[in-house]
Amino acid sequence: MKQTLSRGRFVGGSLAAGALAFGGAPYVIAAPMKEIVIGLNVPQSGPYSDQGQDQLRAYNLAIEEINKAGGIMGMQIKTTVGDDQTTASVATDNAQRMIERDGAVMITGGSSTGTALAVSALCQAKKTIFMAALTHGDETTNSQCHKHTFRRYNDAYMSAQSLAKTLISKYGTGTWFHITADYSWGHSVHDNIVAVVGPKGAKEIKNVQLKLGTKDFSGALAEAQAAKPDVLVITEFGADMVNCLNQAAQFGLTKSCKILVPLVDEYMAKGTRDNFDNVVSTAPFYWQYHAAKYPGAKKFVDAFKAKYGVPPSNGAETAYVDIYQYKSAVERGGTINPDTVIAKLEGWKFQMTKELEYWRKEDHQGVNSCLVVEGVPSAERGEGGFGFAKVLEVHSGESVVQPLSGLACKMEPA
Amino acid sequence: MSRGTLRILLFTALGLAVFPFAIHPIGGYPGLATQICIMAIGAVALNLLLGEAGMLSYGQALFFGCGAYVSAILVQRAMPQHPNLVLAVLGGIVVSTAAAAIIGALVVRLYGIYFALLTLAFGQMGYFIVEQAKDWTNGDDGLQGIPDALIYVGTAGVDLQTPLPAVDLGPFGNLSDVHLWYIFAAVILLLVIWFVRTLNGSQFGEVLGAIRENEDRSRMIGFVPQLYRFAAFVIAGALTGLAGGLRALYDLQAVVDYANIDRSGSFVIYTVVGGVQTLLGPVVGTAVIMYLENVGSGFLAKYPQLPGWQWFEGLIFVLVIVFLPAGIVGTFKRKRKPNFAKMLAVKR
Amino acid sequence: MDAFLQAFLNGLVLGLIYVAIAVGLTIVFGTLRLVNFAHGAFFSVGAYVGLVVANKYGLVPGFIIAPIAVAILAVILDRIVLRPFYNKEPTSQLLLTFGIALVIQESLRWIFGGTAQQYTLPPELMSPFTLGPIVYPAYRLAFALGVVLLLVAVWLFLARTDYGLIVRAGIRDRIMVQLLGGNITRASTIVFALGAGIAGLVGAAASPIYSVEPTTGFDFLVPSFVVVVVGGLGSFWGAVAGGLLVGILKSLMTLYYPPAADVIIYVLMAVVLIVRPQGLFGESEVIRQ
């Protein structure tokens, strides 16, 4: 008996010791609502960590501004942060912890459609709003849409439609070689691009699918080199795209064929330097262009630069706007109750950093413009390499968004 | 059962009953407690191999992933209208056991590091097959949003997500924080502990121990060591498959990292840190490491100037191996240090 | 045909990286009976040290300083933590070296950040080199040549020097060497530092090919275990043959049947362990010790 009691005490004691190590502060689950908790679930490690860090900067900026101005309905915003490691199970564990333990009323962040889909499913089960940040794959607001999930970022369909004219005029309908990230986003982008150029006669030589986080692209690139295509499509993101494009240059592919990178952000362009010259891509937001055109964007970009010394990437912009949109919906509805917030977001028109845009009711997709950009020679890039693009075309959200007739989204009633 | 066993089970049951509330003030939450119970089953299974039989298996994630995906697929495809938890998990166990039997037949001839490396190879094979069999597993994206499986009593389905009645427990949270899932997982863990304890105390366990200590002698007495090792491997595979099935149905997803090499390593880590060759060591180890992983990384995410959680995790391993080789529970029990060398006796 | 040649060359380069890592791993296992999960961390440290030095002083100083720095790290680890664990059971070795690997990896992340770092090589080396029908990055060819020279040097050490003799004898029969008066402890430290240094050098040299990240070393480590098993624990030529085999196999599989590219090397590992556990070149007595 004696041994049993002391064993229990030891286990309890070691747990308590561990607790002391963490300061043992109980987390406030907002019972008397003086503050609300928002969960920031971003990649702080892995191939998309640059994007995740920038999102975090934007979230902190927005929340700081809002708190300084009195918070949301008088309640200060408190954040709980997690590193999703661009892994679905870690992302959902974080989200679960944020909801169950920290009492988060809204979850946001993420740079991958893979994690977005997983967190979206969990937030639906837990009836918590999820403002999916940087996710580009169609599924988030299409085949795997959920009532509690909202996505403002362009999707792959929109990018492909925006590129349609350029794809044919600049890239032609010859032979195409694809290197694609092997998960939901990569498949989504690849299928959308093929749907645009295939009917026009473009011939796909091969589609090499590589795991997210691949560092060595030499196998695929060597094959591409041997195949001598007209166009090389690199459907990779973050550090993976940087590696792939830089290695492609080593194989001489940047000189021997035209390169298409369906989605880009400032950090990817910076990492690939010269190799991104004359490469065509899309983005929902480009700080230099939008700050010159829209006062709302200029205000955001200036504030971001003042606080962090660098301009914001396009993922940061959607993070910033998402927080403000959540605030707006809560205030208009007068409550944090998710059903009301959802109703207030659906169909809501607003203008903040871009043109007039809105949240579509049927799939919770943000209908806003998509830019077709081209890499500027690195000698001409300003702002520490962040001024990387020349805007070729601007396509309005309405003109390129997934038509309702083709939507496979079956949203839950509640 | 013996008085000793009863004592241990009651003590563990008591610990499990207070656990989700006890961790509340230190940043824990009942969802984490449920996951700990589920993973502890896998750790106890590994300890059967490592502690009892002296077999370091570095590929248990294969069975974990197998159980997880089979259960998830059964719920999603075979019974989406009436998702039956018990049937789905049983399905996962059956397939894991079959896999363990096939692989077991191939691996039990090896010992020590060679055995470990072969199990690692099979674990990796399992991982890459799961990744590539996209029609079944959805590859890297995993199976998301699988239907919430119920436990059917007659025709009535019990949803394990049902919370307990609300009773305020002050600094320990509220009784309603805990859902039926936790009770279910804890009860299963208790049953697994009872089973393993009985096994260890039986002739089967004695023979395993004898094989671990001196295989030649046990063969000379007349036992066939490979048969016993094979049986241990299959039992461990079945239990790990059980853990996998529960995890998938709890998380409502089956993802590819249930089958990866880190997952295999996790079971080893939980067991060794907790105390190999002790009954409750794996459970304690799972609780400590998973708690630190979850709460610790959440805590550290807010302080980018500090190193990440894995730095501390690595340090813990080093400190445990150097200073507490018997693990937390083992050192506490003040037994002899486990003789690892004898445990993994290379075939002479 | 072009595609095959490209893939074969790729496999060769990849294989040479595996060989360089596996040589250190296998010799350390052979002499010290140490399963070293931290070996990948040596690769990573070499990569970062090489990067820092190269960015300041140029590529060649980087290649000189990196292995020296890693060797020093290895000696420190040997003295402070690892020595009591030589010849012990694999479970504690595995966990201990894994813990060390994590600490090193996360320290690198802490210091340098988690995002990938790129080398800036002179343009001549970064551009393609035309070899008949094949266009292949010049740097990779230079790298392959470099690794071959390195392996020759290591072989000379093992085959022609006294320490090398003790190492080879120690792999076969450690006790006997000690009885015969060979200073196996000193040789062990040298061997450990040598293995680490090779990994560090390869880490520095391979980084212009990929980018440098804290986890790169560990990513190479697990396939290197495959190489060591296939070649035979403790065998230099086994590491060479195994590394080339694994690299080329993986590369050709990526070309002809990509879904199996990752898994094939583990199938090979399993087959070898089941059919001939001592590996291609290993001694069957090695398993008995």
Side-chain angles (χ1 to χ4, degrees):
Chain A
M1 251 2 250
K2 206 167 163 195
Q3 218 189 357
T4 311
L5 283 172
S6 47
R7 214 179 303 181
R9 221 173 269 147
F10 181 85
V11 171
S14 44
L15 280 176
L20 285 172
F22 288 114
Y27 290 80
V28 175
I29 294 183
M33 296 290 281
K34 278 204 305 249
E35 53 182 36
I36 62 173
V37 179
I38 292 183
L40 307 176
N41 201 5
V42 298
Q44 291 175 303
S45 55
Y48 298 167
S49 58
D50 277 336
Q51 286 68 28
Q53 304 284 15
D54 219 38
Q55 276 178 21
L56 211 50
R57 290 188 201 112
Y59 288 130
N60 288 332
L61 176 65
I63 289 169
E64 209 180 84
E65 290 175 352
I66 293 173
N67 278 346
K68 216 181 281 183
I72 299 183
M73 294 201 312
M75 300 183 287
Q76 291 285 292
I77 303 176
K78 190 163 137 64
T79 59
T80 168
V81 183
D83 175 6
D84 73 9
Q85 296 178 27
T86 316
T87 302
S89 61
V90 178
T92 48
D93 280 351
N94 287 348
Q96 188 183 22
R97 179 182 71 244
M98 292 169 176
I99 295 171
E100 273 191 35
R101 184 190 69 181
D102 305 330
V105 296
M106 190 267 268
I107 304 286
T108 185
S111 198
S112 144
T113 299
T115 55
L117 294 175
V119 176
S120 177
L122 182 123
C123 286
Q124 179 63 30
K126 301 271 182 208
K127 308 250 180 286
T128 306
I129 304 265
F130 175 50
M131 307 288 281
L134 207 171
T135 152
H136 187 239
D138 290 350
E139 296 88 342
T140 313
T141 47
N142 201 334
S143 57
Q144 296 195 45
C145 68
H146 287 294
K147 188 79 174 175
H148 287 75
T149 297
F150 288 82
R151 187 258 299 265
R152 180 169 170 270
Y153 206 82
N154 296 157
D155 70 10
Y157 181 88
M158 294 165 79
S159 291
Q161 291 299 308
S162 306
L163 279 170
K165 218 179 70 201
T166 318
L167 285 178
I168 307 301
S169 64
K170 182 171 161 136
Y171 287 85
T173 52
T175 52
W176 290 52
F177 192 99
H178 290 255
I179 295 180
T180 306
D182 192 9
Y183 72 107
S184 46
W185 171 71
H187 304 155
S188 187
V189 170
H190 168 265
D191 294 346
N192 272 301
I193 294 205
V194 167
V196 167
V197 300
K200 297 277 195 305
K203 189 170 141 1
E204 175 176 298
I205 304 176
K206 195 165 178 183
N207 178 20
V208 177
Q209 303 194 65
L210 296 168
K211 224 172 124 62
L212 173 69
T214 299
K215 295 192 185 58
D216 180 18
F217 294 88
S218 56
L221 291 169
E223 254 193 277
Q225 173 55 247
K228 302 197 187 350
D230 297 315
V231 182
L232 173 65
V233 186
I234 298 180
T235 303
E236 298 279 347
F237 197 67
D240 292 352
M241 177 281 203
V242 172
N243 278 338
C244 189
L245 187 54
N246 285 345
Q247 288 171 26
Q250 293 175 14
F251 275 84
L253 286 162
T254 42
K255 300 279 188 308
S256 67
C257 57
K258 304 199 196 86
I259 309 231
L260 172 68
V261 177
L263 183 70
V264 75
D265 86 342
E266 284 71 1
Y267 288 93
M268 291 156 62
K270 200 159 174 297
T272 46
R273 282 183 300 258
D274 300 340
N275 298 324
F276 199 73
D277 293 356
N278 305 119
V279 171
V280 169
S281 185
T282 68
F285 177 84
Y286 174 49
W287 68 275
Q288 219 171 40
Y289 169 82
H290 282 95
K293 212 160 184 261
Y294 301 102
K298 182 168 183 346
K299 190 158 156 282
F300 163 58
V301 172
D302 288 346
F304 196 96
K305 281 196 339 193
K307 190 169 158 83
Y308 299 113
V310 288
S313 62
N314 59 45
E317 181 259 359
T318 209
Y320 184 82
V321 175
D322 281 341
I323 298 282
Y324 272 101
Q325 278 302 294
Y326 179 74
K327 168 178 184 287
S328 153
V330 170
E331 287 176 342
R332 283 179 287 118
T335 171
I336 56 163
N337 179 301
D339 293 330
T340 315
V341 173
I342 291 170
K344 287 298 173 193
L345 278 173
E346 287 177 341
W348 178 246
K349 292 192 183 49
F350 66 97
Q351 178 170 23
M352 198 171 162
T353 50
K354 293 169 70 165
E355 75 287 355
L356 186 68
E357 54 177 297
Y358 67 96
W359 298 97
R360 193 158 72 170
K361 179 171 188 293
E362 286 80 0
D363 55 356
H364 296 177
Q365 171 66 42
V367 181
N368 54 74
S369 58
C370 181
L371 304 171
V372 176
V373 298
E374 187 182 64
V376 162
S378 38
E380 301 167 27
R381 297 183 199 172
E383 303 273 354
F386 283 90
F388 74 98
K390 177 171 76 191
V391 176
L392 294 180
E393 298 161 20
V394 180
H395 294 263
S396 74
E398 284 284 357
S399 64
V400 292
V401 74
Q402 184 87 235
L404 288 172
S405 54
L407 210 57
C409 171
K410 291 197 178 31
M411 218 170 265
E412 299 88 351
Chain B
M1 67 177 100
S2 74
R3 270 190 54 202
T5 308
L6 188 62
R7 227 169 53 187
I8 287 185
L9 286 179
L10 282 177
F11 166 71
T12 310
L14 188 66
L16 289 172
V18 297
F19 183 61
F21 308 107
I23 55 172
H24 185 100
I26 50 172
Y29 55 101
L32 177 64
T34 312
Q35 286 177 331
I36 288 176
C37 286
I38 295 173
M39 299 310 277
I41 295 172
V44 169
L46 179 80
N47 199 19
L48 179 66
L49 284 178
L50 183 58
E52 257 329 279
M55 301 157 75
L56 171 63
S57 170
Y58 213 88
Q60 292 301 98
L62 177 93
F63 308 115
F64 187 77
C66 197
Y69 272 94
V70 170
S71 308
I73 291 171
L74 281 174
V75 169
Q76 216 176 31
R77 296 195 187 207
M79 36 179 169
Q81 301 308 324
H82 297 279
N84 189 319
L85 189 144
V86 174
L87 281 183
V89 173
L90 276 175
I93 296 176
V94 164
V95 178
S96 310
T97 312
I102 297 171
I103 295 173
L106 294 168
V107 301
V108 291
R109 303 181 300 142
L110 293 177
Y111 289 78
I113 184 67
Y114 294 90
F115 174 80
L117 286 171
L118 187 55
T119 54
L120 186 149
F122 277 111
Q124 288 292 86
M125 282 194 258
Y127 173 71
F128 289 116
I129 290 173
V130 164
E131 231 191 6
Q132 295 299 332
K134 292 179 201 154
D135 291 335
W136 286 100
T137 64
N138 221 7
D140 258 337
D141 298 314
L143 301 170
Q144 301 293 342
I146 64 179
D148 186 19
L150 311 174
I151 297 190
Y152 285 90
V153 185
T155 44
V158 177
D159 187 354
L160 288 177
Q161 305 227 4
T162 319
L164 293 179
V167 174
D168 188 21
L169 298 170
F172 298 103
N174 193 309
L175 193 66
S176 63
D177 291 339
V178 170
H179 299 178
L180 292 180
W181 248 114
Y182 177 74
I183 300 178
F184 182 64
V187 165
I188 295 191
L189 176 63
L190 268 174
L191 291 172
V192 169
I193 291 175
W194 181 25
F195 172 68
V196 170
R197 164 129 176 133
T198 312
L199 206 63
N200 287 349
S202 73
Q203 196 209 22
F204 178 74
E206 303 273 346
V207 176
L208 276 182
I211 293 171
R212 180 189 74 228
E213 300 280 323
N214 191 327
E215 188 189 323
D216 289 328
R217 188 185 293 168
S218 42
R219 195 178 306 117
M220 281 192 259
I221 297 177
F223 295 111
V224 182
Q226 307 303 30
L227 271 176
Y228 285 84
R229 298 175 94 232
F230 175 75
F233 193 78
V234 172
I235 293 172
L239 290 174
T240 312
L242 165 66
L246 290 174
R247 182 72 194 256
L249 296 182
Y250 175 70
D251 279 352
L252 299 178
Q253 64 177 356
V255 284
V256 81
D257 54 82
Y258 286 168
N260 71 7
I261 195 174
D262 289 332
R263 189 73 55 183
S264 291
S266 298
F267 291 122
V268 178
I269 286 163
Y270 300 156
T271 306
V272 175
V273 168
V276 73
Q277 284 192 323
T278 67
L279 184 65
L280 294 178
V283 180
V284 170
T286 309
V288 169
I289 297 289
M290 281 186 72
Y291 166 79
L292 289 175
E293 257 171 8
N294 196 302
V295 175
S297 64
F299 175 79
L300 289 166
K302 279 203 123 164
Y303 301 98
Q305 58 270 44
L306 285 180
W309 149 247
Q310 289 194 298
W311 190 88
F312 293 96
E313 193 175 23
L315 197 61
I316 290 175
F317 301 159
V318 173
L319 292 174
V320 164
I321 291 292
V322 173
F323 297 113
L324 292 179
I328 296 174
V329 176
T331 309
F332 182 66
K333 279 171 117 172
R334 268 164 278 137
K335 271 195 167 166
R336 298 188 312 276
K337 281 198 217 166
N339 197 327
F340 277 111
K342 272 201 191 173
M343 257 168 53
L344 295 172
V346 175
K347 193 171 161 145
R348 292 205 180 278
Chain C
M1 190 52 185
D2 283 358
F4 173 81
L5 283 173
Q6 291 270 32
F8 189 84
L9 257 180
N10 257 341
L12 210 63
V13 171
L14 184 65
L16 283 170
I17 297 179
Y18 287 147
V19 172
I21 299 177
V23 159
L25 208 55
T26 204
I27 293 181
V28 163
F29 184 82
T31 44
L32 307 177
R33 281 293 184 256
L34 176 71
V35 177
N36 186 11
F37 254 53
H39 201 72
F42 294 149
F43 181 96
S44 299
V45 171
Y48 274 101
V49 169
L51 181 70
V52 165
V53 174
N55 280 341
K56 259 195 140 182
Y57 302 110
L59 209 56
V60 176
F63 290 171
I64 298 178
I65 307 269
I68 296 176
V70 174
I72 294 175
L73 173 68
V75 172
I76 295 174
L77 283 175
D78 167 66
R79 288 289 156 80
I80 298 183
V81 189
L82 285 173
R83 192 169 287 182
F85 289 88
Y86 297 160
N87 277 290
K88 287 281 167 60
E89 70 299 332
T91 311
S92 8
Q93 289 184 352
L94 217 123
L95 214 62
L96 178 65
T97 54
F98 184 61
I100 293 172
L102 274 184
V103 172
I104 294 178
Q105 179 183 299
E106 289 304 306
S107 301
L108 289 171
R109 188 193 299 279
W110 190 22
I111 300 173
F112 293 101
T115 58
Q117 316 250 8
Q118 297 285 336
Y119 256 86
T120 16
L121 278 185
E124 318 83 59
L125 285 178
M126 283 302 268
S127 48
F129 184 82
T130 324
L131 244 126
I134 306 184
V135 180
Y136 203 72
Y139 183 76
R140 290 183 190 233
L141 292 172
F143 170 81
L145 205 62
V147 172
V148 170
L149 291 173
L150 171 68
L151 290 172
V152 167
V154 172
W155 179 79
L156 282 173
F157 168 80
L158 287 176
R160 299 266 183 265
T161 66
D162 286 346
Y163 277 122
L165 185 60
I166 295 178
V167 166
R168 280 185 296 134
I171 293 177
R172 272 178 157 253
D173 194 335
R174 187 186 173 84
I175 315 273
M176 190 56 79
V177 170
Q178 281 175 311
L179 288 173
L180 289 170
N183 187 344
I184 198 138
T185 311
R186 168 99 59 90
S188 303
T189 308
I190 291 185
V191 156
F192 191 58
L194 181 68
I198 297 174
L201 176 58
V202 164
S207 319
I209 300 181
Y210 318 106
S211 50
V212 179
E213 268 179 275
T215 53
T216 314
F218 195 77
D219 293 337
F220 277 115
L221 183 65
V222 180
S224 300
F225 270 104
V226 175
V227 169
V228 167
V229 163
V230 167
L233 282 110
S235 163
F236 172 83
W237 289 113
V240 173
L244 293 175
L245 178 62
V246 168
I248 293 173
L249 187 62
K250 189 156 186 223
S251 193
L252 290 177
M253 207 43 121
T254 312
L255 177 64
Y256 291 119
Y257 190 58
D262 287 313
V263 80
I264 190 72
I265 64 174
Y266 296 102
V267 173
L268 176 66
M269 184 185 191
V271 166
V272 168
L273 279 170
I274 294 172
V275 167
R276 192 187 154 89
Q278 66 268 34
L280 293 170
F281 289 79
E283 313 271 346
S284 36
E285 296 84 46
V286 166
I287 307 182
R288 302 271 176 259
Q289 279 181 16

